[in-house]
């Protein structure tokens, strides 16, 4: 019984220590800004908001213009070429596989951009003079979302390159088959 | 004839009959509000809101949106495949791939505390 009590007290101590440490960590992550930064946010509030509004508008334009090209690459080029290859009874598996990955990444890009835009709008709507810490946190959140959107774009570009390579491979095979048929 | 007149005079109107016009207006307003709420949910949920440059915040960039897709040629999905058809596709594809790669979309870090001038002052 005595051992059990000791064990219990040690266990309680460990739980309290771990709990307190994790709470302190979370608090530090929630509020990583100094008083100087808070003052800076307060002073530059209007300027920062204007900059955010400009980024919001220019990113929306980029999303619309680039989004059109990305979708057209899939709908007007990749899918049509894949269908034509399949209609002529050639193997289009590798081409189709890259197109599927491209489309899937395009879907992720759409979702990630939506989340980014929502978080940036939330940051813009926060009163930075009254809630500088929340404003800073909202910007940090939008910043990481924007990074995610950029990663999606990098992946999309990689798939564009991969499709180019797949077309090259197809061309090689086609020449081999066409050459073999002539001989 | 007399009998029918008497029956009309004695008829008691129900609540719905008495307030039919008011109920009609209220019901129409409710249906309109419901449809608006549903369409707003769809507008925001589908991601259409993010592409809608007619929103007030996008006035400055609205004119720069590309509205015609004439520079993006369709590749025909029907017909035979010859070497020239593959080359035609490669030309079309390479042209668009170049257009995409020229832009470092969403690159840079304009939301960093340094870029926004809200970083901790360096000593």
């Amino acid at each position: 019984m005595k051992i059990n009590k000791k064990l219990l007290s040690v266990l309680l101590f460990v739980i309290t220590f771990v709990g307190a440490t994790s709470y302190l960590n979370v608090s530090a992550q929630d509020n990583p800004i100094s008083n100087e930064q808070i003052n800076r946010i307060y002073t530059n509030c209007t300027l920062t908001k204007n900059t955010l509004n400009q980024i919001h508008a220019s990113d929306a334009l980029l999303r619309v213009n680039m989004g059109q090209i990305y979708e057209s690459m899939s709908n007007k080029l990749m899918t049509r070429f894949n269908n034509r290859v399949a209609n002529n009874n050639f193997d289009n598996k590798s081409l189709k596989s890259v197109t599927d990955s491209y489309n899937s990444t395009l879907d992720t890009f759409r979702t990630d951009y939506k989340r980014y835009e929502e978080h940036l709008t939330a940051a813009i709507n926060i009163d930075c003079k009254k809630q500088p810490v929340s404003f800073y946190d909202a910007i940090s959140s939008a910043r990481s979302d924007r990074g995610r959107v950029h990663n999606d774009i990098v992946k999309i570009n990689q798939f564009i390159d991969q499709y180019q390579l797949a077309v090259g491979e197809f061309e090689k095979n086609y020449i081999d088959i066409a050459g073999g048929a002539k001989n | 004839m007399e009998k029918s007149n008497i029956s009309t005079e004695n008829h008691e109107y129900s609540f719905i009959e008495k307030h039919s016009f008011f109920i009609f207006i209220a019901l129409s307003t409710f249906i309109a509000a419901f449809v608006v709420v549903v369409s707003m949910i769809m507008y925001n949920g589908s991601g259409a809101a993010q592409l809608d440059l007619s929103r007030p915040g996008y006035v400055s960039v609205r004119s720069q949106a590309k509205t015609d897709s004439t520079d993006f040629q369709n590749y025909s999905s029907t017909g035979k495949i010859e070497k020239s058809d593959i080359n035609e596709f490669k030309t079309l594809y390479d042209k668009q791939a170049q257009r995409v790669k020229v832009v470092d979309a969403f690159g840079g870090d304009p939301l960093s505390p340094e870029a926004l001038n809200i970083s901790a002052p360096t000593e």
Side-chain angles (χ1 to χ4, degrees):
Chain A
M1 193 67 187
K2 271 186 181 177
I3 298 164
N4 280 347
K5 271 188 178 177
K6 271 187 181 176
L7 198 77
L8 203 72
S9 56
V10 169
L11 212 72
L12 272 172
F13 174 75
V14 169
I15 290 168
T16 315
F17 180 75
V18 169
T21 317
S22 58
Y23 174 76
L24 285 174
N25 277 341
V26 168
S27 300
Q29 278 167 3
D30 280 348
N31 188 12
I33 61 172
S34 60
N35 285 335
E36 286 95 339
Q37 258 180 301
I38 292 174
N39 287 338
R40 218 161 179 190
I41 291 169
Y42 188 86
T43 316
N44 296 333
C45 182
T46 316
L47 194 71
T48 311
K49 282 236 171 171
N50 284 341
T51 311
L52 288 182
N53 278 319
Q54 280 170 17
I55 294 169
H56 186 230
S58 62
D59 279 353
L61 181 69
L62 196 62
R63 164 69 183 90
V64 169
N65 287 344
M66 294 307 288
Q68 278 179 19
I69 302 176
Y70 294 138
E71 287 190 24
S72 296
M73 292 225 38
S74 172
N75 300 333
K76 295 183 177 177
L77 295 177
M78 290 178 181
T79 309
R80 283 166 171 260
F81 187 70
N82 295 351
N83 289 341
R84 190 154 169 178
V85 168
N87 290 342
N88 284 275
N89 298 322
F90 288 106
D91 180 21
N92 74 345
K93 270 181 199 161
S94 60
L95 293 166
K96 205 171 172 299
S97 159
V98 180
T99 308
D100 289 344
S101 304
Y102 176 89
N103 286 334
S104 157
T105 314
L106 200 55
D107 282 340
T108 313
F109 162 69
R110 286 190 201 104
T111 316
D112 285 344
Y113 180 81
K114 186 173 173 283
R115 192 189 297 129
Y116 158 65
E117 197 274 339
E118 283 167 356
H119 284 166
L120 187 61
T121 306
I124 291 169
N125 289 335
I126 293 172
D127 188 339
C128 42
K129 292 209 170 182
K130 285 182 183 166
Q131 298 169 283
V133 179
S134 303
F135 182 68
Y136 185 87
D137 288 342
I139 291 174
S140 298
S141 173
R143 186 188 176 196
S144 63
D145 289 336
R146 197 176 190 276
R148 211 167 287 133
V149 173
H150 182 248
N151 287 342
D152 294 337
I153 296 296
V154 171
K155 278 184 197 165
I156 285 173
N157 288 344
Q158 283 169 353
F159 285 123
I160 287 172
D161 289 341
Q162 278 184 28
Y163 194 83
Q164 241 165 352
L165 292 173
V167 172
E169 279 295 310
F170 169 74
E171 192 181 15
K172 265 186 198 171
N173 292 338
Y174 172 82
I175 291 166
D176 289 346
I177 294 166
K182 274 181 187 174
N183 294 333
Chain B
M1 188 67 186
E2 236 173 66
K3 203 176 179 182
S4 70
N5 281 343
I6 291 163
S7 71
T8 315
E9 281 165 14
N10 289 342
H11 176 73
E12 280 188 24
Y13 290 98
S14 67
F15 179 81
I16 294 174
E17 283 172 326
K18 272 182 188 172
H19 303 95
S20 56
F21 185 68
F22 173 75
I23 289 168
F24 168 72
I25 296 292
L27 208 65
S28 307
T29 311
F30 173 76
I31 291 168
F34 177 75
V35 171
V36 167
V37 168
V38 169
S39 54
M40 283 307 288
I41 289 169
M42 286 170 72
Y43 174 73
N44 286 313
S46 65
Q50 279 73 34
L51 299 173
D52 183 4
L53 295 184
S54 66
R55 287 160 73 192
Y58 301 135
V59 178
S60 58
V61 295
R62 199 174 295 158
S63 59
Q64 296 168 53
K66 284 171 191 161
T67 49
D68 75 307
S69 55
T70 45
D71 56 342
F72 212 116
Q73 212 179 317
N74 280 329
Y75 184 75
S76 174
S77 59
T78 54
K80 284 184 176 178
I81 281 206
E82 302 284 338
K83 182 85 177 72
S84 58
D85 299 313
I86 299 171
N87 286 338
E88 184 202 345
F89 176 78
K90 282 171 80 178
T91 311
L92 290 174
Y93 189 86
D94 291 351
K95 185 184 162 193
Q96 299 305 333
Q98 278 301 317
R99 274 179 74 193
V100 168
K101 284 178 199 164
V102 161
V103 185
D104 179 26
F106 303 99
D109 197 3
L111 293 177
S112 70
E114 291 77 22
L116 293 172
N117 212 16
I118 53 170
S119 61
T122 48
E123 287 165 24

